[in-house]
Amino acid sequence: MASSLARIAQKSIISDIQQTLAAETHNATFAVGGSIPTETSQDANQSFEGLSDENDAHSSCRPVQIRFGEDGKGMTLTLPIDPRQQEGQPARKTRSRVSAEGKTQAVSNGLSQLLAACSPAGFGRGSEEVLDESYRKAGKLDTAAFATTFCPYNTGIIDLVQQLLLPHSGEQNDRRGVRAELYKLNVYSAPSGLFKSHVDTPRGETQIGSLVVCLPVEHEGGQLVVRHGNEEHKKEQVFDWSQSSTESPTLQWAAFYSDCEHEVLEVTSGHRITLTYNLFSTVCSGYLTGGKSSLDATQLPLHQTLSTALESPSFLPGGRLLGVWLTHDYAHTSATMNHLPSSLKGADMVIYEAAMALGLECHLRPFLRDDSYYGFTVLGDGFRPFKQGRYFDEEEEDAEEQTVREELGATEDWQEKKVIWLNEPRKHLMMPQTAHPCYGNVPSVDIKYTSAIMLVKIPSFSARGHDVHGEHAVFEGIATPSSVSSKASERAESEEGEDQDEDERSNDSNDRNSDSLIFDGEHIRMAGGR
Ligand SMILES: O=C(O)CCC(=O)C(=O)O
Ligand SMILES: [Fe+2]
């Protein structure tokens, strides 16, 4: 009777955690954007030459110059285009040039030269670079072919991206920063300039996102649509940067996590000119003045729910692993460097920070699963180049099982069957790379995305700092992972077998009753039961 009550209590606690996690994931940011009024050349001339400070509240930005063209024949295009310099219009008095025949000539503003300097932009299909205007109709200049005065740092864009896509937790050793690397200039022109749905090819394991800056040029259409989430909860954000001649010129931008699917809809008039940047997470040198944290993990609803759960003797009294399918994919590239947790994105970072702030031990692992003919499951010990063949060695019987066991460590408490999953994997991620959208923005063979999981180790009730035998159970809190493990080992030493037996019993009873305990919650599944 008492144990079934405890089970009911536990089920309700786990269900609370699941619901909070679902809300946290659902509300998480995956794309951000903004706009900055842009001065015209005329405004800029009127401000004190050389003294105008772009950092002044980032309220406006100076006209953007693009320099391009062959050596010795370079051109400069200044955006927004000065209305007195609209191509095809006879120039006004101040700008007119009078030809030898005495006729007033139209002044070139450089736009048509820029369009002519661009070459068709391709995209990656597997390792091939493909030109297919039905999929992508755009022009491009590589970084070697142009220079610009625009800097996303000066305008405050990178500050915002940092705070919204990679916030600091305020932890002393959290020194994540964002670095933007200029990648291309693109022109999507009417009629029918577009780029159909794709996921940007990661340019390295620390790439977290992409930034698109739309320059102030008149156009209509060409909305950027960014999507994220699973089949049931797909979220979409639309950035419409259409500009007309009657509006004040504005520079507009959007940044999104690079594993998010996105597309550029058809441009119906004018030219949509963009600068694209790859965004990388970096380790910065810290903050002399005590950097402000934009993410206070203790204020997160998930922190609160987990904290309440840990205080309850009904919640996993013998300790257990909680498993969370991460909501983003991560570049699966290198055998030597593990770029997580510093490159965690959106909700994944929030979940991680909430658990870490409670001193819980968290492990991030790539997880590949293929339910097709060659069905296999691989839980990696880190992110490394994925070699499909490795796990089908016929000599090695049961290789798949062994891999999972090896990583979870059969000798530790990490057997997969002991994992309680708090959410469902996204369906299209059940398989490795092959199931991902096969179009990237550049051809690539080596760098892929992989789905990943987070394992959170919930210590036994006694190791959580509670006196399980005393009348007044006191929650001492869990300060740091090291204090958890030292507390756990101290206790194990002082109470010898007694506590262990208690834990064992709880574990056993959890396992024995796992079906009734967790299976009727829709989202809780035992890994072993998959
Ligand atoms: O121009 C945009 O808004 C996005 C372009 C894009 O998706 C890309 O260059 O990969
Ligand atoms: Fe893209």
Side-chain angles (χ1 to χ4, degrees), residues 121-140:
F123 57 92
R125 195 181 274 150
S127 57
E128 263 177 79
E129 161 112 44
V130 179
L131 285 176
D132 173 355
E133 286 204 343
S134 69
Y135 206 85
R136 185 181 198 186
K137 187 176 168 221
K140 63 140 191 194

Side-chain angles (χ1 to χ4, degrees), residues 273-291:
I273 304 184
T274 56
L275 297 171
T276 57
Y277 296 81
N278 292 319
L279 300 171
F280 299 91
S281 70
T282 56
V283 176
C284 57
S285 54
Y287 300 90
L288 286 173
T289 52

Side-chain angles (χ1 to χ4, degrees), residues 36-292:
I36 308 171
T38 314
E39 294 170 18
T40 60
S41 312
Q42 215 174 356
D43 302 331
N45 288 339
Q46 279 161 11
S47 67
F48 290 108
E49 203 66 75
L51 288 180
S52 141
D53 181 357
E54 229 163 19
N55 280 322
D56 274 356
H58 304 129
S59 54
S60 70
C61 86
R62 312 264 296 166
V64 176
Q65 292 189 325
I66 311 285
R67 301 203 179 106
F68 59 96
E70 294 162 37
D71 282 353
K73 292 192 220 153
M75 290 282 310
T76 300
L77 168 64
T78 303
L79 300 173
I81 291 168
D82 186 332
R84 294 167 304 174
Q85 270 188 282
Q86 289 297 344
E87 274 181 7
Q89 307 281 322
R92 296 216 189 120
K93 216 172 166 195
T94 47
R95 293 287 173 116
S96 64
R97 276 187 259 129
V98 179
S99 70
E101 301 89 59
K103 288 185 189 149
T104 306
Q105 287 183 337
V107 174
S108 163
N109 56 32
L111 182 59
S112 50
Q113 284 90 338
L114 179 78
L115 302 177
C118 288
S119 52
F123 57 92
R125 195 181 274 150
S127 57
E128 263 177 79
E129 161 112 44
V130 179
L131 285 176
D132 173 355
E133 286 204 343
S134 69
Y135 206 85
R136 185 181 198 186
K137 187 176 168 221
K140 63 140 191 194
L141 282 184
D142 294 327
T143 44
F146 76 99
T148 178
T149 53
F150 178 77
C151 170
Y153 291 87
N154 290 353
T155 46
I157 292 175
I158 301 301
D159 272 353
L160 280 171
V161 169
Q162 153 89 62
Q163 286 171 51
L164 297 167
L165 295 188
L166 208 64
H168 286 284
S169 64
E171 289 288 314
Q172 197 103 52
N173 54 2
D174 178 6
R175 292 187 282 128
R176 285 174 293 190
V178 172
R179 180 171 60 83
E181 212 170 82
L182 183 59
Y183 179 57
K184 293 272 187 263
L185 178 146
N186 286 121
V187 183
Y188 295 83
S189 297
S192 61
L194 53 65
F195 194 173
K196 287 196 178 151
S197 205
H198 66 283
V199 172
D200 287 350
T201 312
R203 313 284 304 167
E205 61 192 357
T206 57
Q207 181 169 3
I208 56 142
S210 303
L211 165 67
V212 186
V213 173
C214 184
L215 300 174
V217 180
E218 281 173 38
H219 71 274
E220 235 169 85
Q223 292 86 345
L224 168 67
V225 184
V226 186
R227 302 187 183 93
H228 177 56
N230 57 23
E231 303 304 307
E232 296 92 57
H233 300 288
K234 192 154 257 189
K235 295 221 303 182
E236 191 172 277
Q237 213 159 318
V238 180
F239 299 91
D240 187 346
W241 297 326
S242 302
Q243 294 245 326
S244 77
S245 56
T246 54
E247 290 164 314
S248 323
T250 309
L251 185 138
Q252 297 170 94
W253 62 272
F256 49 90
Y257 293 123
S258 38
D259 61 301
C260 293
E261 187 186 305
H262 55 282
E263 68 180 303
V264 180
L265 306 184
E266 258 184 65
V267 176
T268 51
S269 82
H271 305 282
R272 176 187 187 271
I273 304 184
T274 56
L275 297 171
T276 57
Y277 296 81
N278 292 319
L279 300 171
F280 299 91
S281 70
T282 56
V283 176
C284 57
S285 54
Y287 300 90
L288 286 173
T289 52
K292 283 182 236 120

